[in-house]
Amino acid sequence: MDRSQLLKGLLDIIVLRVLERQDGYGYEILNRLRAAGFDELGDASVYGTLRRLYRAGYLSTYVQPSDSGPHRKYYALTEPGRKYLRQAREAWEDVSAKMRVLFDVPTEGRP
């Protein structure tokens, strides 16, 4: 099964959740996602999602100097972003519970 379509639909929630814990800049966010097991997420998809969430008002940005190179643009959740994440989490938990029921119900003729 190609999981990329499923992940594409969840990318907003995944990125917002990573940023809920701590602000971060692009490369660092990618590393956190990969550390969480999302190795298959492409750099362009994540950076595109960050830009889109920023334009939607769910993220704010600020710049911090870096000792090891150019300044870094950090992303942080806004209050609308926190609200959107809460709503998305509720929707995810609802759908996930319904899917568990579907998968746990035995099919006729199957044990």
Side-chain angles (χ1 to χ4, degrees):
M1 175 189 172
D2 181 11
R3 295 172 18 131
S4 63
Q5 289 302 310
L6 181 60
L7 286 174
K8 186 176 179 182
L10 296 171
L11 194 51
D12 286 5
I13 301 169
I14 293 167
V15 169
L16 290 173
R17 177 63 178 142
V18 166
L19 287 170
E20 182 182 38
R21 296 179 182 175
Q22 180 181 351
D23 298 355
Y25 59 93
Y27 182 72
E28 179 185 48
I29 294 166
L30 282 165
N31 284 337
R32 286 193 229 163
L33 291 169
R34 291 191 173 123
F38 295 104
D39 298 326
E40 63 272 21
L41 291 175
D43 296 9
S45 294
V46 173
Y47 283 108
T49 298
L50 289 168
R51 286 190 299 275
R52 190 171 33 74
L53 292 171
Y54 172 76
R55 284 192 308 269
Y58 299 145
L59 298 177
S60 61
T61 61
Y62 58 94
V63 176
Q64 290 284 327
S66 170
D67 295 334
S68 60
H71 297 329
R72 294 180 174 152
K73 184 194 316 191
Y74 279 77
Y75 292 89
L77 252 68
T78 61
E79 195 50 44
R82 291 182 192 286
K83 181 179 178 183
Y84 177 77
L85 180 58
R86 280 191 302 272
Q87 292 169 339
R89 182 177 183 162
E90 289 170 8
W92 167 257
E93 288 173 355
D94 178 59
V95 170
S96 179
K98 290 173 182 170
M99 291 300 294
R100 275 192 300 277
V101 168
L102 283 176
F103 283 116
D104 289 343
V105 173
T107 311
E108 194 172 319
R110 292 176 70 192

